[in-house]
Coordinates of all heavy atoms in Angstrom, one line a residue:
N90 N -22.3 -21.2 3.3 CA -21.6 -22.2 4.0 C -20.0 -21.9 4.1 O -19.6 -20.8 3.6 CB -21.7 -23.6 3.3 CG -21.2 -23.6 1.8 OD1 -20.4 -22.8 1.5 ND2 -21.6 -24.5 1.0
E91 N -19.3 -22.8 4.7 CA -17.9 -22.5 5.0 C -17.0 -22.3 3.8 O -16.2 -21.5 3.7 CB -17.3 -23.7 5.8 CG -15.9 -23.6 6.3 CD -15.7 -22.5 7.4 OE1 -16.7 -22.3 8.1 OE2 -14.7 -22.1 7.5
E92 N -17.4 -23.2 2.7 CA -16.5 -23.0 1.5 C -16.7 -21.6 0.9 O -15.7 -21.0 0.4 CB -17.0 -24.0 0.4 CG -16.3 -25.3 0.5 CD -16.7 -26.3 -0.4 OE1 -17.0 -25.9 -1.6 OE2 -16.7 -27.5 -0.2
R93 N -17.9 -21.1 0.9 CA -18.2 -19.8 0.3 C -17.6 -18.7 1.0 O -17.1 -17.8 0.4 CB -19.8 -19.6 0.2 CG -20.2 -18.3 -0.4 CD -19.8 -18.3 -1.9 NE -20.3 -17.1 -2.4 CZ -19.7 -16.4 -3.4 NH1 -18.6 -16.8 -3.9 NH2 -20.1 -15.2 -3.8
R94 N -17.7 -18.9 2.4 CA -16.9 -17.9 3.3 C -15.4 -17.8 3.0 O -14.8 -16.7 2.9 CB -17.2 -18.1 4.7 CG -18.7 -17.7 5.0 CD -18.8 -17.6 6.6 NE -18.6 -18.9 7.2 CZ -19.5 -19.8 7.4 NH1 -20.8 -19.6 7.0 NH2 -19.3 -21.0 8.0
Q95 N -14.8 -18.9 2.8 CA -13.4 -19.0 2.5 C -13.1 -18.4 1.1 O -12.1 -17.7 0.9 CB -12.9 -20.4 2.5 CG -12.8 -21.0 3.9 CD -12.3 -22.5 4.0 OE1 -12.3 -23.1 2.9 NE2 -12.0 -22.9 5.1
E96 N -14.0 -18.6 0.1 CA -13.8 -18.0 -1.2 C -13.9 -16.5 -1.1 O -13.2 -15.7 -1.7 CB -14.9 -18.5 -2.1 CG -14.7 -19.9 -2.6 CD -15.9 -20.4 -3.5 OE1 -16.6 -19.5 -4.1 OE2 -16.0 -21.6 -3.5
M97 N -14.9 -16.0 -0.3 CA -15.0 -14.5 -0.1 C -13.9 -13.9 0.5 O -13.4 -12.9 0.2 CB -16.3 -14.2 0.7 CG -17.6 -14.7 0.0 SD -18.1 -13.5 -1.2 CE -18.6 -12.3 -0.3
A98 N -13.3 -14.6 1.6 CA -12.1 -14.2 2.3 C -10.9 -14.1 1.3 O -10.1 -13.2 1.3 CB -11.7 -15.1 3.4
K99 N -10.8 -15.1 0.5 CA -9.7 -15.1 -0.5 C -9.9 -14.0 -1.6 O -8.9 -13.2 -1.9 CB -9.7 -16.4 -1.3 CG -8.5 -16.7 -2.2 CD -8.5 -18.0 -2.8 CE -8.3 -19.2 -1.9 NZ -8.2 -20.4 -2.6
L100 N -11.0 -13.7 -1.9 CA -11.4 -12.6 -2.9 C -11.0 -11.2 -2.2 O -10.4 -10.4 -2.8 CB -12.9 -12.5 -3.2 CG -13.3 -11.5 -4.3 CD1 -12.5 -11.6 -5.6 CD2 -14.7 -11.6 -4.5
A101 N -11.3 -11.0 -0.9 CA -11.0 -9.9 -0.2 C -9.4 -9.8 0.0 O -8.9 -8.6 -0.2 CB -11.6 -9.9 1.3
S102 N -8.8 -10.8 0.1 CA -7.3 -10.8 0.1 C -6.8 -10.4 -1.2 O -5.8 -9.5 -1.2 CB -6.8 -12.2 0.5 OG -5.4 -12.2 0.6
K103 N -7.4 -10.7 -2.4 CA -6.9 -10.4 -3.7 C -7.1 -8.8 -3.9 O -6.2 -8.1 -4.3 CB -7.6 -11.1 -4.7 CG -7.2 -12.6 -4.9 CD -7.9 -13.2 -6.1 CE -7.5 -14.7 -6.2 NZ -8.2 -15.3 -7.3
Y104 N -8.2 -8.3 -3.4 CA -8.5 -6.9 -3.5 C -7.5 -6.1 -2.6 O -7.0 -5.0 -3.1 CB -9.9 -6.5 -3.1 CG -10.9 -6.8 -4.1 CD1 -12.0 -7.6 -3.7 CD2 -10.8 -6.4 -5.4 CE1 -13.0 -7.9 -4.7 CE2 -11.8 -6.7 -6.4 CZ -12.9 -7.4 -6.1 OH -13.8 -7.7 -6.9
A105 N -7.2 -6.6 -1.4 CA -6.2 -6.0 -0.6 C -4.8 -5.9 -1.3 O -4.1 -4.9 -1.2 CB -6.1 -6.6 0.8
E106 N -4.4 -7.1 -1.9 CA -3.1 -7.0 -2.6 C -3.1 -6.1 -3.8 O -2.0 -5.3 -3.9 CB -2.9 -8.5 -3.1 CG -1.4 -8.6 -3.7 CD -0.4 -8.2 -2.8 OE1 -0.4 -8.4 -1.6 OE2 0.8 -7.8 -3.4
R107 N -4.2 -6.0 -4.4 CA -4.2 -4.9 -5.5 C -4.0 -3.6 -5.0 O -3.4 -2.7 -5.6 CB -5.5 -5.0 -6.2 CG -5.7 -6.3 -7.1 CD -7.0 -6.2 -7.9 NE -7.3 -7.4 -8.6 CZ -8.4 -7.8 -9.2 NH1 -9.4 -6.9 -9.0 NH2 -8.5 -8.9 -9.7
A108 N -4.7 -3.3 -3.8 CA -4.5 -1.9 -3.2 C -3.1 -1.6 -2.8 O -2.5 -0.6 -3.0 CB -5.5 -1.9 -2.0
R109 N -2.4 -2.8 -2.2 CA -1.1 -2.6 -1.8 C -0.1 -2.3 -3.1 O 0.8 -1.5 -3.0 CB -0.5 -3.9 -1.2 CG -1.0 -4.0 0.3 CD -0.4 -5.2 0.9 NE -1.3 -5.9 1.9 CZ -1.9 -7.1 1.6 NH1 -1.8 -7.7 0.5 NH2 -2.7 -7.5 2.5
V110 N -0.4 -3.0 -4.2 CA 0.4 -2.8 -5.4 C 0.2 -1.4 -5.9 O 1.2 -0.8 -6.2 CB 0.0 -4.0 -6.4 CG1 0.6 -3.6 -7.8 CG2 0.5 -5.3 -6.0
A111 N -1.0 -0.9 -5.9 CA -1.3 0.4 -6.5 C -0.6 1.5 -5.5 O 0.0 2.4 -6.0 CB -2.8 0.6 -6.3
M112 N -0.6 1.3 -4.2 CA 0.2 2.2 -3.3 C 1.7 2.1 -3.6 O 2.3 3.2 -3.6 CB -0.2 1.8 -1.8 CG -1.5 2.4 -1.4 SD -1.8 2.0 0.3 CE -3.2 0.9 0.2
R113 N 2.2 0.9 -3.8 CA 3.6 0.9 -4.1 C 3.9 1.5 -5.3 O 5.0 2.2 -5.6 CB 4.1 -0.6 -4.1 CG 4.1 -1.2 -2.7 CD 4.9 -2.5 -2.6 NE 4.1 -3.5 -3.4 CZ 3.4 -4.4 -3.0 NH1 3.1 -4.4 -1.6 NH2 2.8 -5.3 -3.6
N114 N 3.0 1.4 -6.4 CA 3.2 2.1 -7.6 C 3.3 3.6 -7.5 O 4.1 4.3 -8.0 CB 2.2 1.7 -8.7 CG 2.4 0.3 -9.1 OD1 3.4 -0.2 -9.1 ND2 1.4 -0.3 -9.7
V115 N 2.3 4.1 -6.7 CA 2.3 5.6 -6.4 C 3.6 6.1 -5.7 O 4.2 7.0 -6.0 CB 1.1 5.9 -5.6 CG1 1.1 7.4 -5.0 CG2 -0.2 5.7 -6.4
R116 N 4.0 5.2 -4.7 CA 5.3 5.5 -4.0 C 6.5 5.5 -5.1 O 7.3 6.4 -5.0 CB 5.6 4.5 -3.0 CG 7.0 4.7 -2.2 CD 7.4 3.6 -1.5 NE 7.6 2.5 -2.3 CZ 7.6 1.1 -1.8 NH1 7.5 0.8 -0.5 NH2 7.8 0.1 -2.6
R117 N 6.5 4.6 -5.9 CA 7.6 4.5 -6.9 C 7.5 5.8 -7.7 O 8.6 6.4 -8.0 CB 7.4 3.3 -7.8 CG 8.7 3.1 -8.7 CD 8.3 2.1 -9.8 NE 7.3 2.5 -10.6 CZ 6.3 1.7 -11.0 NH1 6.1 0.6 -10.5 NH2 5.3 2.2 -11.8
D118 N 6.4 6.2 -8.2 CA 6.3 7.4 -9.0 C 6.7 8.6 -8.3 O 7.5 9.5 -8.8 CB 4.8 7.6 -9.5 CG 4.4 6.5 -10.5 OD1 5.3 5.8 -11.0 OD2 3.2 6.4 -10.7
G119 N 6.3 8.7 -7.0 CA 6.7 9.8 -6.2 C 8.3 9.8 -6.0 O 8.9 10.9 -6.0
M120 N 8.9 8.7 -5.7 CA 10.3 8.6 -5.5 C 11.0 9.0 -6.8 O 12.0 9.7 -6.8 CB 10.8 7.2 -5.1 CG 10.2 6.8 -3.8 SD 11.0 7.7 -2.5 CE 10.7 6.6 -1.1
D121 N 10.6 8.5 -8.0 CA 11.2 8.9 -9.3 C 11.1 10.5 -9.5 O 12.0 11.1 -9.9 CB 10.4 8.2 -10.4 CG 10.7 6.7 -10.4 OD1 11.7 6.3 -9.7 OD2 10.0 6.0 -11.1
H122 N 9.9 10.9 -9.2 CA 9.8 12.5 -9.3 C 10.8 13.2 -8.4 O 11.4 14.2 -8.8 CB 8.4 12.9 -8.9 CG 8.1 14.3 -9.2 ND1 8.0 14.9 -10.4 CD2 7.8 15.3 -8.3 CE1 7.8 16.1 -10.3 NE2 7.6 16.5 -8.9
L123 N 10.9 12.8 -7.1 CA 11.9 13.5 -6.2 C 13.3 13.3 -6.7 O 14.1 14.2 -6.8 CB 11.9 12.8 -4.9 CG 10.5 13.0 -4.0 CD1 10.6 12.2 -2.7 CD2 10.6 14.5 -3.6
K124 N 13.7 12.1 -7.3 CA 14.9 11.9 -7.9 C 15.2 12.9 -9.1 O 16.4 13.5 -9.3 CB 15.2 10.5 -8.3 CG 15.4 9.6 -7.1 CD 15.5 8.1 -7.6 CE 15.6 7.2 -6.4 NZ 15.5 5.8 -6.8
R125 N 14.2 13.0 -10.0 CA 14.3 13.9 -11.1 C 14.6 15.4 -10.6 O 15.3 16.1 -11.2 CB 13.1 13.8 -12.0 CG 13.1 12.6 -12.9 CD 12.1 12.7 -14.0 NE 10.7 13.0 -13.5 CZ 9.9 12.0 -13.2 NH1 10.1 10.7 -13.3 NH2 8.7 12.4 -12.7
L126 N 13.8 15.7 -9.6 CA 13.9 17.1 -9.1 C 15.3 17.4 -8.6 O 15.9 18.4 -8.8 CB 13.0 17.3 -7.9 CG 11.4 17.6 -8.5 CD1 10.5 17.8 -7.1 CD2 11.3 18.9 -9.3
E127 N 15.9 16.4 -7.8 CA 17.2 16.5 -7.3 C 18.2 16.5 -8.4 O 19.1 17.4 -8.4 CB 17.5 15.4 -6.4 CG 18.9 15.6 -5.6 CD 19.7 14.4 -5.3 OE1 19.1 13.3 -5.5 OE2 20.8 14.6 -5.0
K128 N 18.1 15.7 -9.5 CA 19.0 15.7 -10.6 C 19.0 17.1 -11.4 O 20.0 17.5 -11.9 CB 18.7 14.6 -11.5 CG 19.6 13.4 -11.4 CD 19.3 12.4 -12.5 CE 20.2 11.2 -12.3 NZ 19.9 10.1 -13.3
A129 N 17.8 17.6 -11.4 CA 17.6 18.9 -12.2 C 18.1 20.0 -11.4 O 18.3 21.1 -11.9 CB 16.2 19.1 -12.5
G130 N 18.5 19.8 -10.2 CA 19.0 20.9 -9.3 C 17.9 21.8 -8.7 O 18.2 22.8 -8.1
N131 N 16.7 21.3 -8.7 CA 15.6 22.0 -8.1 C 15.4 21.7 -6.6 O 14.5 22.3 -6.0 CB 14.3 21.7 -8.9 CG 14.3 22.3 -10.2 OD1 15.1 23.2 -10.5 ND2 13.6 21.7 -11.1
M132 N 16.1 20.6 -6.1 CA 16.0 20.2 -4.8 C 17.3 19.7 -4.2 O 18.1 19.1 -5.0 CB 15.1 19.1 -4.7 CG 14.7 18.5 -3.4 SD 13.5 17.1 -3.4 CE 12.0 17.9 -3.7
S133 N 17.6 20.0 -3.0 CA 18.9 19.5 -2.5 C 18.8 18.1 -2.1 O 17.8 17.4 -2.0 CB 19.3 20.3 -1.2 OG 18.4 20.0 -0.1
E134 N 20.0 17.4 -1.9 CA 20.0 16.0 -1.6 C 19.4 15.7 -0.3 O 18.7 14.7 -0.2 CB 21.4 15.5 -1.7 CG 21.6 14.1 -1.4 CD 23.0 13.6 -1.6 OE1 23.9 14.3 -1.9 OE2 23.2 12.4 -1.2
D135 N 19.6 16.7 0.7 CA 19.0 16.5 2.0 C 17.5 16.5 1.9 O 16.8 15.8 2.5 CB 19.5 17.5 3.0 CG 21.0 17.4 3.3 OD1 21.5 16.2 3.2 OD2 21.6 18.3 3.7
D136 N 16.9 17.5 1.2 CA 15.5 17.6 1.0 C 15.0 16.5 0.3 O 13.9 15.9 0.7 CB 15.1 18.9 0.1 CG 15.3 20.1 1.0 OD1 15.4 20.1 2.2 OD2 15.3 21.2 0.3
Q137 N 15.7 15.9 -0.7 CA 15.2 14.7 -1.4 C 15.0 13.5 -0.5 O 14.1 12.8 -0.5 CB 16.1 14.4 -2.6 CG 15.7 13.3 -3.5 CD 16.1 12.0 -3.2 OE1 17.1 11.8 -2.5 NE2 15.5 11.0 -3.6
K138 N 16.1 13.4 0.4 CA 16.1 12.2 1.3 C 14.9 12.4 2.3 O 14.3 11.4 2.7 CB 17.5 12.1 2.0 CG 18.5 11.6 1.1 CD 19.8 11.3 1.8 CE 20.8 10.8 0.7 NZ 21.9 10.2 1.4
F139 N 14.8 13.7 2.8 CA 13.7 13.9 3.8 C 12.4 13.6 3.2 O 11.6 12.9 3.8 CB 13.7 15.4 4.2 CG 12.5 15.8 5.1 CD1 12.5 15.4 6.4 CD2 11.5 16.4 4.5 CE1 11.4 15.7 7.2 CE2 10.3 16.8 5.3 CZ 10.3 16.4 6.5
F140 N 12.1 14.1 2.0 CA 10.8 13.8 1.4 C 10.6 12.3 1.0 O 9.5 11.8 1.1 CB 10.5 14.7 0.2 CG 10.3 16.1 0.6 CD1 11.1 17.2 0.1 CD2 9.2 16.5 1.4 CE1 10.9 18.5 0.5 CE2 8.9 17.7 1.7 CZ 9.8 18.8 1.3
A141 N 11.8 11.7 0.6 CA 11.6 10.2 0.3 C 11.2 9.5 1.6 O 10.4 8.5 1.5 CB 13.0 9.8 -0.3
D142 N 11.8 9.9 2.7 CA 11.4 9.2 4.0 C 10.0 9.4 4.4 O 9.3 8.5 4.9 CB 12.3 9.7 5.1 CG 13.8 9.2 5.1 OD1 14.0 8.2 4.3 OD2 14.6 9.8 5.7
E143 N 9.5 10.6 4.1 CA 8.1 11.0 4.3 C 7.2 10.2 3.4 O 6.2 9.6 3.9 CB 7.8 12.5 4.1 CG 8.5 13.3 5.2 CD 7.9 13.1 6.6 OE1 6.6 13.0 6.7 OE2 8.7 12.9 7.5
V144 N 7.5 10.0 2.1 CA 6.8 9.2 1.2 C 6.7 7.8 1.7 O 5.6 7.2 1.7 CB 7.3 9.3 -0.2 CG1 6.7 8.2 -1.2 CG2 7.1 10.7 -0.8
Q145 N 7.8 7.3 2.2 CA 7.8 5.9 2.7 C 7.0 5.7 3.9 O 6.3 4.7 4.0 CB 9.4 5.5 2.9 CG 9.5 4.0 3.3 CD 9.0 3.0 2.2 OE1 9.4 3.2 1.1 NE2 8.2 2.1 2.6
K146 N 7.1 6.6 4.9 CA 6.2 6.5 6.0 C 4.7 6.6 5.7 O 4.0 5.8 6.3 CB 6.6 7.7 6.9 CG 7.9 7.7 7.7 CD 8.2 8.9 8.5 CE 9.6 9.0 9.0 NZ 9.8 10.2 9.8
L147 N 4.4 7.4 4.8 CA 2.9 7.5 4.4 C 2.6 6.2 3.7 O 1.4 5.7 4.0 CB 2.7 8.6 3.5 CG 2.8 10.1 4.1 CD1 2.8 11.2 3.1 CD2 1.7 10.3 5.0
T148 N 3.4 5.7 2.8 CA 3.2 4.4 2.2 C 3.0 3.3 3.2 O 1.9 2.5 3.2 CB 4.2 4.1 1.2 OG1 4.3 5.1 0.2 CG2 3.9 2.8 0.4
D149 N 3.9 3.2 4.2 CA 3.8 2.1 5.2 C 2.6 2.3 6.0 O 1.9 1.3 6.3 CB 5.0 2.3 6.2 CG 6.3 1.9 5.4 OD1 6.2 1.2 4.3 OD2 7.4 2.2 6.0
A150 N 2.1 3.5 6.4 CA 0.9 3.7 7.2 C -0.4 3.2 6.4 O -1.3 2.6 6.9 CB 0.9 5.2 7.5
Q151 N -0.4 3.6 5.1 CA -1.6 3.2 4.3 C -1.6 1.6 4.0 O -2.7 1.1 4.2 CB -1.5 4.0 3.0 CG -1.7 5.4 3.1 CD -3.0 5.7 3.8 OE1 -4.1 5.2 3.6 NE2 -3.0 6.6 4.8
I152 N -0.5 1.1 3.9 CA -0.4 -0.4 3.7 C -0.9 -1.1 5.0 O -1.6 -2.0 5.0 CB 0.9 -0.8 3.3 CG1 1.1 -0.5 1.7 CG2 1.1 -2.4 3.4 CD1 2.4 -0.8 1.1
A153 N -0.5 -0.5 6.1 CA -0.8 -1.0 7.4 C -2.4 -0.9 7.6 O -3.1 -1.8 8.1 CB -0.1 -0.3 8.6
E154 N -3.0 0.2 7.1 CA -4.4 0.4 7.2 C -5.1 -0.6 6.4 O -6.2 -1.1 6.7 CB -4.7 1.8 6.8 CG -6.1 2.2 6.9 CD -6.6 2.3 8.3 OE1 -5.8 2.7 9.2 OE2 -7.8 2.1 8.7
V155 N -4.6 -0.9 5.2 CA -5.2 -1.9 4.3 C -5.1 -3.2 5.0 O -6.1 -4.0 5.0 CB -4.5 -2.0 2.9 CG1 -5.0 -3.3 2.2 CG2 -4.8 -0.7 2.2
D156 N -4.0 -3.6 5.7 CA -3.9 -4.9 6.3 C -4.9 -5.0 7.5 O -5.5 -6.1 7.7 CB -2.4 -5.1 6.8 CG -1.5 -5.3 5.7 OD1 -1.9 -5.6 4.5 OD2 -0.2 -5.1 5.9
K157 N -5.0 -3.8 8.1 CA -5.9 -3.8 9.3 C -7.4 -4.0 8.8 O -8.2 -4.8 9.4 CB -5.8 -2.5 10.0 CG -6.7 -2.4 11.3 CD -6.3 -1.0 11.9 CE -7.5 -0.4 12.6 NZ -7.3 0.9 13.1
S158 N -7.8 -3.4 7.8 CA -9.1 -3.5 7.1 C -9.4 -4.9 6.6 O -10.4 -5.5 6.8 CB -9.3 -2.5 6.0 OG -9.2 -1.2 6.5
L159 N -8.3 -5.5 6.0 CA -8.4 -6.9 5.5 C -8.7 -7.9 6.7 O -9.6 -8.7 6.7 CB -7.2 -7.3 4.8 CG -7.2 -8.8 4.3 CD1 -8.3 -9.1 3.3 CD2 -5.9 -9.1 3.7
A160 N -8.0 -7.7 7.7 CA -8.1 -8.6 8.9 C -9.5 -8.5 9.5 O -10.2 -9.5 9.8 CB -7.1 -8.2 10.0
A161 N -10.0 -7.2 9.6 CA -11.4 -7.0 10.1 C -12.5 -7.7 9.1 O -13.5 -8.3 9.6 CB -11.7 -5.6 10.3
K162 N -12.2 -7.5 7.8 CA -13.2 -8.0 6.9 C -13.1 -9.5 6.8 O -14.2 -10.2 6.7 CB -12.9 -7.4 5.5 CG -13.8 -7.9 4.3 CD -15.3 -7.6 4.8 CE -15.6 -6.1 4.6 NZ -17.2 -6.0 4.9
E163 N -12.0 -10.1 6.9 CA -11.9 -11.6 6.9 C -12.7 -12.2 8.1 O -13.3 -13.1 8.1 CB -10.5 -12.1 6.9 CG -9.8 -11.9 5.5 CD -8.4 -12.4 5.6 OE1 -7.8 -12.3 6.6 OE2 -7.9 -12.8 4.4
Q164 N -12.4 -11.4 9.4 CA -13.1 -11.9 10.6 C -14.6 -11.8 10.4 O -15.4 -12.6 10.8 CB -12.6 -11.0 11.8 CG -13.1 -11.6 13.1 CD -12.5 -10.7 14.2 OE1 -12.2 -9.6 14.0 NE2 -12.5 -11.3 15.3
E165 N -15.0 -10.7 9.8 CA -16.5 -10.5 9.5 C -17.0 -11.6 8.6 O -18.1 -12.1 8.9 CB -16.7 -9.1 9.0 CG -18.1 -8.8 8.7 CD -18.3 -7.4 8.0 OE1 -17.5 -6.6 8.1 OE2 -19.3 -7.4 7.2
I166 N -16.3 -11.9 7.5 CA -16.8 -12.9 6.6 C -16.9 -14.3 7.2 O -17.8 -15.0 7.0 CB -15.9 -12.9 5.4 CG1 -16.0 -11.6 4.6 CG2 -16.1 -14.1 4.5 CD1 -14.9 -11.5 3.5
M167 N -15.9 -14.6 8.1 CA -15.8 -16.0 8.6 C -16.8 -16.2 9.7 O -17.0 -17.3 10.2 CB -14.4 -16.3 9.1 CG -13.4 -16.3 7.9 SD -13.9 -17.4 6.5 CE -13.5 -18.9 7.1
Q168 N -17.5 -15.2 10.3 CA -18.5 -15.3 11.3 C -19.7 -16.1 10.7 O -20.0 -15.9 9.6 CB -18.9 -14.0 11.8 CG -17.9 -13.3 12.8 CD -18.4 -12.0 13.3 OE1 -19.5 -11.5 12.8 NE2 -17.7 -11.4 14.2
V169 N -20.1 -16.9 11.6 CA -21.3 -17.8 11.1 C -22.6 -17.0 11.5 O -22.9 -16.3 12.4 CB -21.3 -19.1 11.9 CG1 -22.6 -19.9 11.5 CG2 -20.1 -19.9 11.5

């Protein structure tokens, strides 16, 4: 029934949020690693900024993919 479909959509939304949080945690770890490399002198500041931008772009792309998948799944769940 309608209530059950709404509950399922809410559950899918929670899973999507967990995926987004996990991706942001991976991004944070990557950014921290890049900063440590730069501080240690193993990477130039320009390289650090370039790779930080790349990590951000990849994160944004993956989060957009999760959002797209969530929208499709919610639409599928709500069909009668």
Side-chain angles (χ1 to χ4, degrees):
N90 63 18
E91 183 72 21
E92 273 182 35
R93 181 68 179 143
R94 286 193 296 273
Q95 288 177 349
E96 288 175 22
M97 296 285 285
K99 193 181 289 189
L100 184 61
S102 181
K103 285 182 184 180
Y104 282 128
E106 183 58 29
R107 286 183 191 167
R109 286 188 214 101
V110 168
M112 282 183 242
R113 288 192 295 262
N114 288 338
V115 170
R116 178 192 62 201
R117 185 193 65 228
D118 293 343
M120 294 293 201
D121 289 345
H122 185 69
L123 289 171
K124 287 177 187 174
R125 282 195 306 270
L126 285 174
E127 190 214 344
K128 259 188 180 175
N131 296 334
M132 181 182 285
S133 70
E134 185 177 348
D135 290 339
D136 285 344
Q137 188 267 337
K138 287 185 181 193
F139 171 78
F140 288 119
D142 288 343
E143 288 298 310
V144 168
Q145 184 62 47
K146 286 178 193 175
L147 289 170
T148 303
D149 292 342
Q151 292 303 310
I152 287 177
E154 187 67 31
V155 167
D156 291 341
K157 183 176 150 186
S158 296
L159 174 63
K162 183 51 77 174
E163 284 178 337
Q164 187 177 24
E165 178 184 331
I166 290 171
M167 296 309 283
Q168 285 180 353
V169 177

